[in-house]
Amino acid sequence: SSSVKVEQGAYLVSVLHALKYPASSVNGVLLGSFEKDGSVQVQQALPLLHSHLSLAPMMDAAFALIDEHCQTSQIKIVGYYHANSNHQHKAPSATAKRIADKIHDVAKEDNKSAETCMLMIDNTQLEHLAALLSKRVDSGELSKCQGMVLYMKKGGGGGTGWRREMEKRGEERLLEV
């Protein structure tokens, strides 16, 4: 499995999007690059929708604008982020998987070795993070609670599906924020 490095700005945009609409499902696109070593660099997060995530005309319009932005900025769509409205539901919804699958398939057309990612924002972890912040714990303790879970998918459409990745492979963190 590959590692994913999320730059601070992209992390903050995705988490703040979820925090702004805690009673709604939220989603967005992750922009960055696919590195030669197989890792994914996430440089930007673009919020898409909050609630009614499957509105096809809105998604089509958003992706048309994002594609144009990517072409002019020399950046790629590398993944997708999602938070469920029900805080107890931590796995990707069917809608989240469909959107992430489409992103994956388009990335594969452009780069056969591309491995896209899906970041599931875990509202329970965010609540824990808020509790830690209120207690003013040290940054080492805070770094253990990222508020999101990494999913990866390899291969073309119809592959094995999205797999939740373990936090570490040996000493290497698979999701670095």
Side-chain angles (χ1 to χ4, degrees), residues 102-168:
K102 181 67 175 163
I103 289 170
H104 180 78
D105 292 345
V106 170
K108 282 297 199 185
E109 290 172 9
D110 188 48
N111 177 351
K112 297 288 182 224
S113 64
E115 291 186 45
T116 57
C117 63
M118 178 173 18
L119 298 178
M120 281 299 299
I121 297 172
D122 184 332
N123 291 304
T124 306
Q125 279 190 29
L126 290 181
E127 291 166 2
H128 179 65
L129 184 58
L132 290 174
L133 287 169
S134 70
K135 294 177 186 174
R136 294 195 164 93
V137 299
D138 65 48
S139 60
E141 186 67 25
L142 286 175
S143 69
K144 295 176 188 170
C145 182
Q146 296 175 326
M148 53 181 58
V149 177
L150 172 65
Y151 285 78
M152 298 293 292
K153 180 176 182 179
K154 293 184 183 179
T160 58
W162 291 93
R163 293 184 319 273
R164 181 179 174 155
E165 297 292 332
M166 301 309 291
E167 205 168 298
K168 289 186 174 185

Side-chain angles (χ1 to χ4, degrees), residues 6-57:
V6 181
E7 291 186 11
Q8 185 177 26
Y11 170 78
L12 289 173
V13 166
S14 58
V15 168
L16 290 173
H17 188 203
L19 290 172
K20 184 171 182 177
Y21 301 99
S24 299
S25 294
V26 300
N27 69 357
V29 174
L30 303 171
L31 305 180
S33 58
F34 300 106
E35 303 301 314
K36 289 184 181 10
D37 66 0
S39 66
V40 178
Q41 288 283 124
V42 178
Q43 298 157 344
Q44 297 176 26
L46 297 177
L48 290 177
L49 301 170
H50 47 274
S51 76
H52 307 298
L53 300 186
S54 59
L55 290 174

